[in-house]
Amino acid sequence: MAISYDEVVAKYDPVLGLEVHVELNTESKMFCSCSTVFGGEPNTQTCPVCLALPGALPVVNARAIESTIKIGLALNCQIAPYSRFARKNYFYPDMPKNFQISQYDEPICFDGYVDVEIDTDEGLKEFRIEVERVHMEEDTGKSLHVGGATGRIHGADYSLLDYNRAGIPLVEIVTKIVPGTGKYAPEVARAYVAELRDILRGLGVSDVKMEQGSLRCDANVSLKPMGSDVLGTRSETKNVNSLRSVERAIRGEMIRHAELLDAGAKVKQETRHFQEDTGLTRSGRSKEQAEDYRYFPEPDLVPVAPDAAWIEELRKALPERPSLRRKRLKQEWNVPDKEMAAMVNADVLDIVEATVVLGADPTKARSWWLGEISRIANDKEVSVTELAITPADVAEIVALVNKGELTDKLARQVVEGVVAGEGTPAEVVAKRGIKVVNDDGALMAAIEKVCSEQPDTAQKVRDGHIPAAGALIGAVMKETKGQADAARVRELLLGHLGQPVN
Amino acid sequence: MINQTAAAMSEALVKGEVTSTQLTQAHLDRISDVDTSVKAFLHVDAEGALAQAARVDADRSSGKKLHPLAGIPLALKDVLTQDGIPTTAGSKILQGWKPQYDSTVVSKIKEAGIVILGKTNMDEFAMGSSTENSAYGPTFNPWDLSRTPGGSSGGSAAAVSAFEAPLAIGSDTGGSIRQPAALTGIVGVRPTYGAVSRYGLIAYSSSLDQAGPFGRTVLDTALLHDVMAGHDPKDATSINGKFPDVVSAAQKRDVKGLKIGVIKQLQGEGYQKGVQARFDESLQVLASLGAEIIEVDCPSFEYALAAYYLIAPSECSSNLARFDAMRYGLRVGDSDGASAEAVMSATRNAGFGHEVKRRIILGAYALSSGYYDAYYGSAQKIRTLIIQDYAKAFAQADVLVSPTAPTTAFKIGEKSNDPIAMYLGDVATIPVNLAGICGMSLPAGLADEDGLPVGFQIMAPAMCDDRLYNVGGALEAALASQWGGHLISKAPALGGSK
Ligand SMILES: [Zn+2]
């Protein structure tokens, strides 16, 4: 029964569809003035509007519209000159009005695309993900099921409702079907979500924290036999909340579908839930009988008709597209693909660029942030941006090394001091008394001392066996407590022993 | 004192001939006297009313500048939220609910120093034309207690007509202010859609609902209208612009040279003889005052009732979804192991009356996939045609007129089992709501055959509410001089002394 991923993609062609929900970082909710701050005491961020008290009315948050238009523009969408909100009617206790204000057949943004690059067997390859629509809606509250085994509604003793999240502005970004990704489907999906995340972060419209649910992805997957034109039945995996999970969930669903199809069984059209621990999905609501949401235009709100000139202003103010920026930086810094990918994955691109802008050499800046500083961050289980070291500090350290005032080893001590909150690099250098021994006289004294202590080794070098110099250099460094510039020590030592300095 | 107009009461208050406390107490006494038979009120807030009256009296004696209506009592339809005061919308499902906030209308009237006597009866969620659909029993027409006062704002209209309050607030979705005003012999205005904030008005049909004033005279009604209207940032459909001066218009009363259009489709067949007769006489009065009477054609009005009974139920099926026992109001069936879904269902089944259920089901059906275009979609197209009919008509005439209702007040129970007959009573008022324009009903006399009040309806374009008051004021003055006083002075005494 078990079938390998390679077998799946040899036999079937996956078709994807991705729906990404993004919580906007507006200060107030979509239709009322309640705060959107994460983590408040239950039901403290509510009012007549978001509790759906009788008589209360929604008013659209203008900032949310602006953010959505920015997203649409960044995703190469058309912006509708006129669009309306609609009511999506269904009963659920965590949805106070028992309808969600959303957009239906008149989304504010439509027909866009996102290009992503994947490292394939044939090298880097670009895939275009077409965006069908970007629309606004509101989040629901949260149910907490108490008692019972699993925290699920079934078998619970009672349920508690928290409406703090009810009415938080959400933007839904829906792709058209994505065919032709073949065996790269899971990676393409991951790259797409990552690209969206970077675009949204660049726009400053969302916290895009997948683990907190401010960006979540629903993945639709179906398989068709290789060469067939007929789409298979899709499953929809809900609320996948990390990039890695997007990849795993899609891979898992492809395998599950293939097993069913190979066995002559049918894939059920249903909602599924991704389980982090197993990497598998479990069945949720069956969607075989499509729910009738009785959509109709929201009569409490007026149509959204953004001014064309304003849209152009927003377009002009868009930040550089992340993919273009990566291409530009890769070229400017002359970075190999793998290194570039490492920086993107470690999320240090911004900080490296900031360091370079302050005058640091790109290679040095990259190696500090990706190396020593990332290592410290990993040890402390925080991100590099949370450490008390800034691009300015790193640029200063790089400059000190270049001037020969610090060795790499000393520089690491300075980094450690800055991270520990001891001040700027200059202050750390002063406080700790760190300085390079660059007095040739003192170095020569140490060299002579070492050569007399290790006459055999010194003789080998005199005889032209250069690699033997390493041991002597090490001893000199030790003698000078690491404060000497190793390169200068090498120069002086080789000269002293009558060898050419290469 | 209580049979005065609000304008006269205001003058007496200003002159110090009476205090607001005395005036309020007199109305509370009148309510005690007659409301056992009229049943206009669902809740009387004597304590709150007297406290507000005392505040106004204190402000007045300290020389503070007050609004002309400060200290005047008012009856509030139970569809508007008032902080801390039970608000039911005439439904069992909201029994015991006390809002935590004031509707914008209530904020404005409180700010003006108006004294709220209490909440008045209504058809459940404003769905009805007789106030018989109230979960708390019907209201009775002060002119004839065996008859309905109309609806859905029947409680507010009856309160004003029975001298329990000089002013009242109602809401009008398909005629719910104008029709009861007609049936109880008073003045009622449905303002332009968006002129009065809907924030805190419990929604029946969002695109049609509009709160408005009742008074015993055109000027009283204008004074209250003026307090209620204005832009409200809490209502996205609220108009932000310059509002017409309705109070000046009510005092202008000059129809010389005005063109008054009689809508061909809203008269004649189907209209009670006495109703048509009083309507025709009023037209002659207006002509004698110098207005030019013309006839206008509004062919799409034929479909207005059908469109209304698709749009309003559709919107209500969604608006009323929030009554689910989760956060407020009635909760039924919450016993061991009952699911949220079962509690919602049991509560809605127990809490909503027949007419509300009928409209929710009708609306849910009209919006369902596969039927949407045929029902809701077509209804919206008719709405557009009606707007176009009005636009053409208003190109020919300054105001349009018709009888407000085809008949005078009908007997309690007469139409309860015949919803279509009940719906037909709104045929002349509904087009105004569909087009979002404004309309007034004012007394045109008593029908010969039953001696009951007849209403004369005036309609004006959106944000031309002042035209209603100018024409209404002129007609009212002319008729009053014919009759030797306002029609309301002919209303029965109802046991108590007036
Ligand atoms: Zn809120």
Side-chain angles (χ1 to χ4, degrees):
Chain A
M1 203 62 210
I3 174 169
S4 73
Y5 184 73
D6 287 343
E7 289 170 307
V8 173
V9 295
K11 205 166 164 185
Y12 297 103
D13 194 8
V15 175
L16 301 178
L18 298 163
E19 289 169 30
V20 170
H21 285 89
V22 185
E23 274 183 4
L24 297 180
N25 59 0
T26 53
E27 273 172 36
S28 58
K29 291 186 179 180
M30 187 76 212
F31 299 113
C32 63
S33 54
C34 288
S35 165
T36 56
V37 173
F38 188 80
E41 283 292 302
N43 297 310
T44 53
Q45 291 157 224
T46 59
C47 74
V49 176
C50 56
L51 286 176
L53 295 190
L57 294 173
V59 176
V60 175
N61 181 337
R63 179 54 61 87
I65 292 189
E66 181 180 319
S67 295
T68 311
I69 292 175
K70 282 185 186 170
I71 293 171
L73 292 171
L75 304 184
N76 307 296
C77 288
Q78 310 277 315
I79 309 301
Y82 173 99
S83 72
R84 284 192 291 186
F85 285 96
R87 291 187 184 178
K88 181 180 183 179
N89 294 286
Y90 63 100
F91 280 82
Y92 205 77
D94 66 13
M95 191 169 58
K97 297 185 293 292
N98 287 313
F99 60 77
Q100 181 191 35
I101 304 179
S102 180
Q103 292 195 294
Y104 180 49
D105 50 358
E106 299 170 78
I108 184 162
C109 318
F110 56 96
D111 283 352
Y113 63 84
V114 174
D115 291 330
V116 297
E117 242 178 14
I118 299 294
D119 197 2
T120 70
D121 298 344
E122 300 90 46
L124 284 182
K125 194 174 161 194
E126 196 169 75
F127 290 86
R128 172 158 292 190
I129 314 292
E130 288 186 288
V131 173
E132 182 174 292
R133 55 189 286 151
V134 176
H135 76 246
M136 293 171 280
E137 57 185 37
E138 53 177 338
D139 210 344
T140 61
K142 289 213 172 345
S143 306
L144 180 68
H145 306 298
V146 183
T150 54
R152 281 190 240 159
I153 192 163
H154 188 73
D157 294 333
Y158 59 92
S159 301
L160 297 171
L161 295 165
D162 176 6
Y163 293 109
N164 283 355
R165 309 306 295 162
I168 299 277
L170 281 184
V171 164
E172 186 175 338
I173 302 163
V174 184
T175 66
K176 294 184 182 167
I177 59 164
V178 186
T181 53
K183 68 174 176 176
Y184 300 109
E187 287 159 271
V188 169
R190 178 195 171 125
Y192 166 71
V193 177
E195 181 72 10
L196 272 189
R197 186 197 58 180
D198 293 349
I199 290 172
L200 295 166
R201 186 184 290 143
L203 292 170
V205 296
S206 170
D207 301 336
V208 290
K209 288 186 179 152
M210 289 190 86
E211 64 286 2
Q212 278 185 8
S214 56
L215 188 154
R216 44 193 196 251
C217 176
D218 299 345
N220 288 281
V221 176
S222 70
L223 294 185
K224 56 180 187 180
M226 213 43 99
S228 164
D229 290 337
V230 186
L231 289 178
T233 306
R234 68 190 160 86
S235 63
E236 183 182 12
T237 304
K238 284 280 193 195
N239 294 337
V240 187
N241 55 10
S242 75
L243 291 179
R244 184 163 166 263
S245 299
V246 170
E247 199 173 336
R248 286 171 83 208
I250 289 172
R251 187 181 299 265
E253 278 300 279
M254 284 167 65
I255 294 172
R256 190 181 67 82
H257 283 211
E259 284 173 350
L260 286 169
L261 296 172
D262 276 3
K266 269 188 176 167
V267 175
K268 259 209 303 194
Q269 185 166 339
E270 62 181 354
T271 297
R272 299 186 67 87
H273 300 283
F274 182 69
Q275 292 169 300
E276 288 289 343
D277 48 352
T278 60
L280 301 175
T281 62
R282 68 174 163 75
S283 177
R285 212 159 17 113
S286 168
K287 273 200 168 175
E288 277 184 355
Q289 278 177 321
E291 228 169 310
D292 186 350
Y293 293 118
R294 292 178 282 113
Y295 282 102
F296 73 104
E298 166 57 277
D300 285 330
L301 293 172
V302 288
V304 182
D307 181 50
W310 179 56
I311 293 174
E312 284 319 304
E313 263 172 53
L314 293 177
R315 193 194 301 277
K316 277 187 204 131
L318 284 182
E320 186 180 13
R321 205 178 298 281
S323 57
L324 294 181
R325 173 171 171 240
R326 281 199 300 275
K327 275 182 198 155
R328 173 177 62 79
L329 292 178
K330 189 170 165 302
Q331 211 166 23
E332 283 177 11
W333 298 350
N334 192 22
V335 192
D337 289 348
K338 289 264 186 283
E339 283 280 296
M340 197 67 201
M343 273 193 285
V344 170
N345 277 341
D347 237 346
V348 296
L349 212 53
D350 289 349
I351 215 158
V352 170
E353 191 184 17
T355 310
V356 172
V357 166
L358 291 166
D361 170 67
T363 312
K364 296 249 170 69
R366 193 172 84 224
S367 90
W368 277 112
W369 286 109
L370 211 48
E372 181 66 9
I373 301 173
S374 281
R375 190 188 57 74
I376 297 172
N378 277 342
D379 286 351
K380 292 180 185 288
E381 296 185 338
V382 295
S383 68
V384 290
T385 51
E386 288 168 279
L387 294 175
I389 186 163
T390 63
D393 295 331
V394 175
E396 188 181 338
I397 290 167
V398 170
L400 288 171
V401 173
N402 285 346
K403 278 192 268 175
E405 288 178 27
L406 287 178
T407 60
D408 276 358
K409 191 170 171 198
L410 289 178
R412 274 199 284 277
Q413 291 175 32
V414 175
V415 165
E416 192 189 290
V418 173
V419 169
E422 290 168 25
T424 63
E427 285 164 0
V428 174
V429 165
K431 271 187 210 160
R432 293 197 175 187
I434 296 171
K435 66 173 199 293
V436 174
V437 177
N438 54 6
D439 172 350
D440 285 357
L443 286 183
M444 281 313 294
I447 287 167
E448 280 164 15
K449 183 167 176 256
V450 166
C451 288
S452 63
E453 280 165 9
Q454 304 185 40
D456 295 351
T457 315
Q459 191 51 48
K460 277 188 191 168
V461 177
R462 276 196 197 92
D463 294 345
H465 190 62
I466 305 296
L472 298 176
I473 293 167
V476 172
M477 293 306 287
K478 201 173 168 190
E479 191 69 25
T480 56
K481 300 192 175 72
Q483 299 199 346
D485 177 353
R488 183 65 186 150
V489 171
R490 188 170 190 273
E491 259 169 44
L492 291 173
L493 178 82
L494 293 176
H496 178 65
L497 299 174
Q499 296 303 314
V501 178
N502 51 356
Chain B
M1 181 169 18
I2 59 169
N3 57 355
Q4 298 288 311
T5 64
M9 290 177 193
S10 169
E11 228 180 285
L13 284 168
V14 170
K15 285 186 186 155
E17 294 165 3
V18 67
T19 65
S20 175
T21 302
Q22 290 166 334
L23 197 57
T24 302
Q25 189 57 56
H27 284 95
L28 290 170
D29 292 345
R30 172 69 175 174
I31 292 169
S32 304
D33 268 1
V34 304
D35 211 51
T36 44
S37 45
V38 176
K39 296 196 184 298
F41 284 87
L42 289 176
H43 178 84
V44 177
D45 178 26
E47 204 183 313
L50 289 168
Q52 168 82 335
R55 263 194 303 276
V56 172
D57 286 338
D59 284 349
R60 198 183 299 280
S61 53
S62 74
K64 216 166 160 185
K65 191 166 161 35
L66 297 173
H67 188 274
L69 292 182
I72 308 282
L74 170 144
L76 182 65
K77 186 176 183 180
D78 204 26
V79 75
L80 285 149
T81 63
Q82 184 183 351
D83 195 354
I85 301 297
T87 299
T88 67
S91 182
K92 279 243 165 2
I93 210 157
L94 274 177
Q95 200 161 27
W97 181 61
K98 287 184 185 170
Q100 295 94 311
Y101 75 105
D102 276 336
S103 50
T104 298
V105 165
V106 166
S107 300
K108 281 172 170 272
I109 59 177
K110 279 184 175 173
E111 212 172 291
I114 295 171
V115 174
I116 303 172
L117 294 168
K119 308 297 289 286
T120 58
N121 199 16
M122 56 185 283
D123 285 298
E124 186 177 1
F125 287 108
M127 297 179 201
S129 312
S130 68
T131 318
E132 291 168 287
N133 293 336
S134 167
Y136 305 97
T139 293
F140 300 90
N141 191 322
W143 289 79
D144 176 349
L145 293 172
S146 70
R147 292 173 191 269
T148 85
S152 66
S153 313
S156 285
V160 172
S161 171
F163 298 92
E164 295 172 270
L167 298 171
I169 288 175
S171 68
D172 190 316
T173 305
S176 284
I177 290 175
R178 288 160 291 157
Q179 182 255 20
L183 270 48
T184 58
I186 61 169
V187 182
V189 167
R190 131 122 197 164
T192 297
Y193 183 79
V196 175
S197 171
R198 290 186 297 115
Y199 190 75
L201 172 71
I202 299 177
Y204 158 27
S205 178
S206 312
S207 72
L208 301 166
D209 293 343
Q210 187 68 189
F214 284 108
R216 289 190 288 259
T217 66
V218 170
L219 178 59
D220 283 5
T221 310
L223 288 166
L224 181 54
H225 184 132
D226 188 54
V227 175
M228 297 172 72
H231 177 64
D232 180 11
K234 289 183 189 153
D235 174 358
T237 61
S238 165
I239 293 171
N240 195 354
K242 191 170 157 18
F243 286 81
D245 183 350
V246 292
V247 175
S248 299
Q251 291 160 321
K252 186 178 165 203
R253 296 167 191 161
D254 179 9
V255 296
K256 214 164 274 147
L258 278 190
K259 282 189 178 161
I260 294 178
V262 179
I263 298 174
K264 195 171 130 191
Q265 282 75 9
L266 299 182
Q267 56 171 330
E269 205 191 333
Y271 287 78
Q272 191 180 315
K273 220 170 147 201
V275 168
Q276 188 68 46
R278 291 296 90 80
F279 175 72
D280 292 341
E281 282 168 21
S282 295
L283 284 180
Q284 283 164 25
V285 169
L286 286 168
S288 73
L289 294 173
E292 186 189 339
I293 312 295
I294 60 168
E295 189 176 80
V296 297
D297 191 19
C298 294
S300 304
F301 282 23
E302 191 186 334
Y303 309 106
L305 202 64
Y308 175 88
Y309 278 100
L310 288 168
I311 292 167
S314 295
E315 291 181 4
C316 101
S317 72
S318 174
N319 283 334
L320 269 56
R322 67 185 59 195
F323 302 102
D324 63 359
M326 293 297 121
R327 295 168 306 287
Y328 45 77
L330 188 71
R331 181 180 284 189
V332 171
D334 187 7
S335 53
D336 272 355
S339 68
E341 197 180 14
V343 172
M344 283 182 184
S345 171
T347 302
R348 290 169 67 80
N349 191 32
F352 288 138
H354 286 308
E355 185 62 27
V356 171
K357 285 179 190 165
R358 185 177 0 247
R359 295 194 195 185
I360 289 175
I361 292 167
L362 189 65
Y365 187 77
L367 289 177
S368 57
S369 93
Y371 297 97
Y372 180 92
D373 289 338
Y375 293 127
Y376 187 81
S378 304
Q380 292 294 2
K381 283 181 194 143
I382 292 171
R383 198 168 182 172
T384 304
L385 293 175
I386 287 169
I387 291 168
Q388 289 167 356
D389 275 2
Y390 268 124
K392 280 182 213 145
F394 283 124
Q396 302 166 57
D398 298 290
V399 294
L400 303 174
V401 296
S402 77
T404 308
T407 69
T408 54
F410 42 93
K411 295 271 187 190
I412 301 265
E414 187 181 328
K415 297 183 185 176
S416 317
N417 294 320
D418 188 354
I420 302 294
M422 189 77 91
Y423 298 170
L424 279 169
D426 300 329
V427 70
T429 48
I430 276 174
V432 163
N433 301 72
L434 289 171
I437 63 171
C438 55
M440 168 188 279
S441 178
L442 76 160
L446 302 176
D448 297 326
E449 55 272 31
D450 52 23
L452 291 168
V454 171
F456 183 88
Q457 179 178 225
I458 308 168
M459 294 158 262
M463 291 299 267
C464 296
D465 306 49
D466 51 336
R467 293 188 198 172
L468 305 177
Y469 288 97
N470 176 36
V471 176
L475 177 60
E476 175 188 64
L479 289 172
S481 70
Q482 260 183 30
W483 300 332
H486 290 303
L487 187 73
I488 195 71
S489 60
K490 296 181 184 160
L494 285 177
S497 57
K498 281 198 275 181

